[in-house]
Amino acid sequence: MIKKEKSFIMEQEDKKVREQLSKIKYKILVMSGKGGVGKSTVAVNIAIGLSLQDFMVGLLDVDLHGPNIPKMLGARDLRLSRKPDGKIGAIKYSPNLKFLSIEPLLPSEDSAVIWRGPLKHSAIRQFIGDIDWGELDYLIIDAPPGTGDEPLTVAKTIPDAYVVIVTTPQEVSLIDVKKSIRFCQKTKMRILGIVENMSGFICPHCGKPIDLFKKGGGEKLAQELGLRFLGRIPIDPRVVDTGDTGRPFIAAYPESPTAKAFEELIRKIISATEEMKRDILEERFMRIAIPINTPSKIEIDPEKFDLFAIYDIENNKILVKDVVKRTENQNLIDFLKEQVVTHVLLFDPPKNLADHLSQNEIRVLVTDTSTESPDNLIEEYLKEKQSH
Ligand code: ADP
């Protein structure tokens, strides 16, 4: 009885989260392998820069231990407000930018809160489901460094979030980037690209660049791993001051080389998000799920669609294959959406199932053989697709 009640509440929460997310066009998680590389600075300046270009933007700080977005925005006094319809809206920073962080919800700015994993998970979900963000073009999410509970919750709650990885040029930072990349592969979040922050210093006297922490490591790594390089942000000592005094740099010093680099980064982010969306529409990127009953046999009975082989395919090549089990209470569509599946490959699917999938923007591929292994079916499908 109690179990039933709980799952009903969870279903309602899931519904609220889904409703909110459906109103947000692009969700971008800003990650870094380690602290101090300028991840929050980059997240804030991306959000401000996009809002200055008339996009509707949300900035969500999911760092529950050391939230610093309100400070960087100079918006520590702003509080959540209830809207006339009773909903609680995210905090309005400017007509185009809203934000949310745990800080305004704590009794005092020095409050130390001990967050256990599950509590973090539900707090972050509430930030999305219970707060009215309205229609947004971009939601920028600033997570604490590393690959802990917070980015994991984002990956589970917002499976279609794209990831921007921030690094500095030193070798040690680059090693940590690889961990972030592995995390994204595991959680199946797609990486938008890598940003190299604190990359060179423009001498204020002679205007020449000086490479304080080397340069170009982020770009080389991006090339090696086949990821987009989103750009270099030079060091400017005024970034520290603007961060500490709550004046986002890009707005405070728009003519500086560092602000120009942020602008270029924003341009790349806009074009990369659009390109990735087009890749899905035009099937250059596909995530195909095949129901299976053993690793080498496809399942043909829709009642038994519990285990799935999922293939990430880019430009007709298989990048990753994974086997994922649907949990008992989860309905099929929710499961496929959570896995951000673009296509399912089925043997002789009943019409109502195929229609239901299509209505939910999941394309259906049909095979007329139930004896081939899922790997062979995918290979054949790709061969056929290529020959067209
Ligand atoms: P993280 O979120 O990765 O921990 P922060 O954004 O808090 O890092 O940045 C760490 C420190 O580095 C801050 O004092 C910030 O002002 C400074 N900083 C970040 N990027 C730059 C930059 N390009 N030039 C100079 N200082 C920077």
Side-chain angles (χ1 to χ4, degrees):
M1 198 57 190
I2 290 172
K3 200 171 163 222
K4 214 170 176 184
E5 189 84 352
K6 193 168 168 226
S7 76
F8 174 73
I9 293 170
M10 276 161 69
E11 260 171 42
Q12 293 303 307
E13 273 185 9
D14 282 351
K15 206 170 142 221
K16 278 198 289 186
V17 167
R18 268 202 307 274
E19 261 169 28
Q20 288 290 349
L21 291 175
S22 69
K23 291 188 271 176
I24 305 171
K25 208 162 157 194
Y26 297 115
K27 300 101 182 171
I28 298 177
L29 172 65
V30 184
M31 279 185 84
S32 68
K34 64 186 197 101
V37 300
K39 172 189 47 57
S40 298
T41 305
V42 169
V44 166
N45 282 285
I46 292 175
I48 295 275
L50 285 167
S51 75
L52 291 175
Q53 291 194 32
D54 283 347
F55 289 109
M56 289 304 292
V57 184
L59 176 58
L60 173 59
D61 182 0
V62 297
D63 191 337
L64 304 178
H65 293 284
N68 48 18
I69 295 292
K71 183 168 182 245
M72 286 183 164
L73 287 174
R76 279 179 131 169
D77 296 336
L78 300 182
R79 289 284 175 270
L80 289 166
S81 58
R82 200 172 277 279
K83 300 170 106 182
D85 60 5
K87 288 182 184 161
I88 298 174
I91 304 171
K92 210 165 182 173
Y93 177 78
S94 70
N96 288 26
L97 178 61
K98 300 167 192 174
F99 76 97
L100 186 65
S101 156
I102 193 73
E103 196 189 66
L105 309 175
L106 298 176
S108 82
E109 63 185 58
D110 300 322
S111 303
V113 182
I114 297 168
W115 295 95
R116 287 173 301 111
L119 208 59
K120 279 188 196 169
H121 182 79
S122 58
I124 293 171
R125 283 176 61 84
Q126 279 178 27
F127 279 179
I128 298 161
D130 289 354
I131 300 293
D132 186 15
W133 288 90
E135 304 265 341
L136 293 181
D137 296 302
Y138 291 91
L139 176 67
I140 310 296
I141 306 150
D142 182 27
T147 52
D149 289 322
E150 294 84 349
L152 190 61
T153 298
V154 173
K156 286 204 169 136
T157 313
I158 318 179
D160 62 343
Y162 293 137
V163 178
V164 167
I165 300 178
V166 181
T167 182
T168 54
Q170 301 101 314
E171 295 285 324
V172 273
S173 304
L174 297 173
I175 293 169
D176 287 315
V177 170
K178 291 192 180 160
K179 279 189 208 150
S180 304
I181 292 170
R182 269 198 297 279
F183 173 83
C184 293
Q185 284 168 343
K186 249 191 174 160
T187 53
K188 302 210 190 74
M189 279 189 296
R190 295 186 68 202
I191 300 170
L192 211 55
I194 296 180
V195 183
E196 187 175 294
N197 187 32
M198 306 199 200
S199 176
F201 171 68
I202 315 283
C203 171
H205 306 294
C206 67
K208 283 195 183 140
I210 304 166
D211 295 336
L212 285 184
F213 302 140
K214 299 203 239 170
K215 204 171 138 189
E219 182 164 20
K220 203 165 146 242
L221 189 75
Q223 245 169 22
E224 261 171 47
L225 302 170
L227 295 170
R228 254 186 220 89
F229 183 62
L230 296 170
R232 288 193 191 98
I233 313 290
I235 295 174
D236 186 324
R238 293 171 299 181
V239 172
V240 180
D241 184 48
T242 51
D244 288 349
T245 54
R247 293 171 303 138
F249 186 84
I250 192 166
Y253 297 102
E255 294 307 320
S256 63
T258 295
K260 298 268 181 232
F262 274 125
E263 273 169 20
E264 184 56 31
L265 165 67
I266 291 161
R267 259 195 296 281
K268 289 229 174 90
I269 287 180
I270 296 169
S271 67
T273 44
E274 286 168 357
E275 199 180 304
M276 284 176 103
K277 199 158 218 169
R278 265 200 314 276
D279 281 352
I280 292 179
L281 285 175
E282 293 165 15
E283 300 190 333
R284 276 186 299 277
F285 176 84
M286 306 170 83
R287 183 169 287 153
I288 306 179
I290 306 183
I292 54 174
N293 53 34
T294 68
S296 59
K297 201 157 185 311
I298 76 167
E299 175 60 66
I300 58 171
D301 178 0
E303 295 286 315
K304 295 183 189 155
F305 284 177
D306 294 326
L307 197 63
F308 289 82
I310 300 183
Y311 299 80
D312 272 13
I313 291 155
E314 207 164 293
N315 294 325
N316 265 18
K317 272 202 200 87
I318 299 173
L319 294 182
V320 197
K321 177 193 169 183
D322 199 6
V323 173
V324 186
K325 195 172 177 347
R326 173 161 72 112
T327 51
E328 229 172 86
N329 296 326
Q330 204 173 22
N331 80 48
L332 180 66
I333 298 289
D334 285 349
F335 167 78
L336 295 171
K337 290 248 164 196
E338 191 182 285
Q339 296 295 323
V340 207
V341 160
T342 59
H343 296 70
V344 281
L345 195 154
L346 302 172
F347 171 76
D348 193 22
K351 185 171 176 333
N352 60 351
L353 174 63
D355 288 348
H356 191 41
L357 288 163
S358 310
Q359 279 154 14
N360 283 282
E361 289 167 24
I362 297 168
R363 288 179 242 182
V364 181
L365 307 170
V366 179
T367 171
D368 53 9
T369 159
S370 61
T371 48
E372 287 283 359
S373 73
D375 284 0
N376 285 349
L377 285 173
I378 287 286
E379 293 290 351
E380 263 170 40
Y381 169 72
L382 294 180
K383 249 189 237 156
E384 208 173 294
K385 192 164 170 272
Q386 205 151 24
S387 67
H388 278 117

